[in-house]
């Protein structure tokens, strides 16, 4: 079995640079997260740096969030997607906060992109490692400088070029301690990787000194959806594939939980988009028809 370092794609959603630009899907996510801060919708997640780091004015965000992936002009669909992205970010940061309260002092963000947690980190005693392709990190540093966002001493960039490095060696070179507990955040990446790569990375995380937690999101297979929902997902899959970032892996909740337990995690908390979003609101926002299909977020824990 290949190690998580050997089987990682070359660049890809861990931060490939194309003609001096970051991953286009990661950029679309950053625009959507920023627009959530000003859109006329229930605020699930507040990020005071989300707009600044994009470097664009708020009035341009709706078109940019949709235009990067040539999304259809379906305002309701765009709203649901923004709210899910906000909810998954909040869930991840709540997981980190709980881990810190229990004594964890390391956080690793895999495929950090334009994530801003490290620059808003309310836990100065916690060291945050951002893992990405070196070129992506160089681009992010430029964006941070242009936005006037300071790099805190608690942040360590962990550049990893998967053509020549492993995840383990890249983190080790950055001072990461495998013998101490850690919370890993891995959002917006899993669906772009092969199953082998996903499981190898999960094994790497499970091998961390306990307690260790991993927060990630993934997609359900089309076969689990009603025809209309399956058609929407297939259309989006076609759009991301057309820009060179195809979806490669899908799971059901039961299947993913079993795989993670076989790897060594002893607890898996899995939530559908509808369950996650509605859990943060006073009234339901997502369609009842969404059910378990679509994006899910899970938290896998190894306690011993």
């Amino acid at each position: 079995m290949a190690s998580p370092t050997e089987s990682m794609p070359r660049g890809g959603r861990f931060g490939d640079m194309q003609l001096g630009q970051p991953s286009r899907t990661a950029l679309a996510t950053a625009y959507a997260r920023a627009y959530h801060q000003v859109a006329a919708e229930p605020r699930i997640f507040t990020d005071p740096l989300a707009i600044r780091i994009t470097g664009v004015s708020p009035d341009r965000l709706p078109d940019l969030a949709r235009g990067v992936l040539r999304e259809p002009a379906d305002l309701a669909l765009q709203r649901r997607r923004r709210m899910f992205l906000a909810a998954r970010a909040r869930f991840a940061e709540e997981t980190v906060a709980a881990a810190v309260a229990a004594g964890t002092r390391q956080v690793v963000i895999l495929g950090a992109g334009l994530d801003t947690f490290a620059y808003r980190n309310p836990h100065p005693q916690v060291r945050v490692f951002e893992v990405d392709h070196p070129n992506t990190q160089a681009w992010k540093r430029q964006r941070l400088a242009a936005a006037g966002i300071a790099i805190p001493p608690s942040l360590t960039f962990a550049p990893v070029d998967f053509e020549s490095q492993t995840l383990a060696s890249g983190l080790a070179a950055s001072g990461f301690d495998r013998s101490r507990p850690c919370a890993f955040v891995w959002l917006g990446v899993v669906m772009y990787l092969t199953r082998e790569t996903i499981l190898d990375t999960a094994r790497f995380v499970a091998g961390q000194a306990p307690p260790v937690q991993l927060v990630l999101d993934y997609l359900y297979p089309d076969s689990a959806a009603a025809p209309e929902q399956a058609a929407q997902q297939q259309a989006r899959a076609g759009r991301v594939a057309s820009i060179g970032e195809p979806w490669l892996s899908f799971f059901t909740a039961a299947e993913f939980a079993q795989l993670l337990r076989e790897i060594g995690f002893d607890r898996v908390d899995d939530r559908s988009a509808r369950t996650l979003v509605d859990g943060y609101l006073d009234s339901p926002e997502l369609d009842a028809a969404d059910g378990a299909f679509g994006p899910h977020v899970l938290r896998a824990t190894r306690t011993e």
Side-chain angles (χ1 to χ4, degrees), residues 46-99:
T46 299
D47 179 350
L49 300 181
I51 295 175
R52 285 173 59 189
I53 199 170
T54 65
V56 301
S57 60
D59 61 304
R60 294 183 59 207
L61 289 169
D63 289 338
L64 287 170
R66 182 171 61 88
V68 170
L69 301 180
R70 299 188 291 276
E71 299 278 18
D74 184 334
L75 297 182
L77 186 62
Q78 293 169 34
R79 173 188 171 103
R80 292 200 299 272
R81 178 171 177 269
R82 283 195 306 270
M83 295 182 74
F84 168 72
L85 294 175
R88 79 176 186 185
R90 178 170 170 178
F91 181 76
E93 294 193 14
E94 288 177 346
T95 296
V96 167

Side-chain angles (χ1 to χ4, degrees), residues 190-209:
V190 164
M191 60 287 296
Y192 298 94
L193 305 178
T194 65
R195 179 167 294 218
E196 180 182 21
T197 295
I198 296 163
L199 296 182
D200 283 347
T201 304
R203 288 189 187 94
F204 173 83
V205 174
Q208 186 72 18

Side-chain angles (χ1 to χ4, degrees), residues 213-234:
Q213 293 185 314
L214 170 63
V215 177
L216 61 82
D217 61 327
Y218 67 96
L219 293 174
Y220 252 58
D222 295 342
S223 59
E228 181 179 355
Q229 295 170 308
Q232 288 179 347
Q233 178 157 298
Q234 289 163 4

Side-chain angles (χ1 to χ4, degrees), residues 1-299:
M1 178 66 68
S3 72
T5 52
E6 294 167 337
S7 61
M8 285 292 180
R10 297 185 177 184
R13 284 288 284 140
F14 267 86
D16 192 16
M17 293 288 287
Q18 298 179 3
L19 300 178
Q21 294 297 318
S23 155
R24 289 173 65 182
T25 52
L27 196 56
T29 295
Y31 289 144
R33 187 169 57 231
Y35 187 47
H36 178 68
Q37 307 305 307
V38 295
E41 61 198 22
R43 178 78 61 80
I44 292 176
F45 180 66
T46 299
D47 179 350
L49 300 181
I51 295 175
R52 285 173 59 189
I53 199 170
T54 65
V56 301
S57 60
D59 61 304
R60 294 183 59 207
L61 289 169
D63 289 338
L64 287 170
R66 182 171 61 88
V68 170
L69 301 180
R70 299 188 291 276
E71 299 278 18
D74 184 334
L75 297 182
L77 186 62
Q78 293 169 34
R79 173 188 171 103
R80 292 200 299 272
R81 178 171 177 269
R82 283 195 306 270
M83 295 182 74
F84 168 72
L85 294 175
R88 79 176 186 185
R90 178 170 170 178
F91 181 76
E93 294 193 14
E94 288 177 346
T95 296
V96 167
V100 171
T104 293
R105 295 295 180 265
Q106 297 184 117
V107 174
V108 171
I109 303 178
L110 297 168
L114 289 179
D115 186 88
T116 67
F117 170 76
Y119 314 91
R120 300 177 283 104
N121 180 9
H123 318 289
Q125 75 277 33
V126 173
R127 191 171 181 185
V128 179
F129 296 83
E130 286 195 351
V131 176
D132 242 326
H133 189 279
N135 290 342
T136 298
Q137 291 193 338
W139 180 84
K140 183 173 187 176
R141 283 175 178 265
Q142 292 174 355
R143 285 290 339 121
L144 292 167
I149 299 173
I151 298 174
S154 58
L155 169 62
T156 298
F157 290 102
V160 180
D161 183 346
F162 292 102
E163 291 184 350
S164 58
Q165 289 178 276
T166 66
L167 176 60
S169 66
L171 279 171
S174 301
F176 180 68
D177 191 344
R178 283 288 272 168
S179 67
R180 298 174 60 205
C182 182
F184 290 80
V185 177
W186 197 18
L187 300 179
V189 178
V190 164
M191 60 287 296
Y192 298 94
L193 305 178
T194 65
R195 179 167 294 218
E196 180 182 21
T197 295
I198 296 163
L199 296 182
D200 283 347
T201 304
R203 288 189 187 94
F204 173 83
V205 174
Q208 186 72 18
V212 59
Q213 293 185 314
L214 170 63
V215 177
L216 61 82
D217 61 327
Y218 67 96
L219 293 174
Y220 252 58
D222 295 342
S223 59
E228 181 179 355
Q229 295 170 308
Q232 288 179 347
Q233 178 157 298
Q234 289 163 4
R236 186 171 177 83
R239 289 192 293 274
V240 298
S242 71
I243 61 170
E245 300 179 38
W247 290 337
L248 301 178
S249 296
F250 305 84
F251 300 88
T252 65
E255 176 188 20
F256 214 163
Q258 179 179 346
L259 290 169
L260 291 169
R261 289 193 174 97
E262 289 173 354
I263 286 169
F265 293 98
D266 48 66
R267 286 186 290 182
V268 178
D269 175 6
D270 188 295
R271 306 185 190 190
S272 68
R274 182 188 176 206
T275 299
L276 185 68
V277 170
D278 286 353
Y280 289 125
L281 302 174
D282 294 330
S283 59
E285 279 285 332
L286 300 194
D287 295 337
D290 288 344
F293 177 67
H296 276 230
V297 171
L298 68 78
R299 175 175 53 226

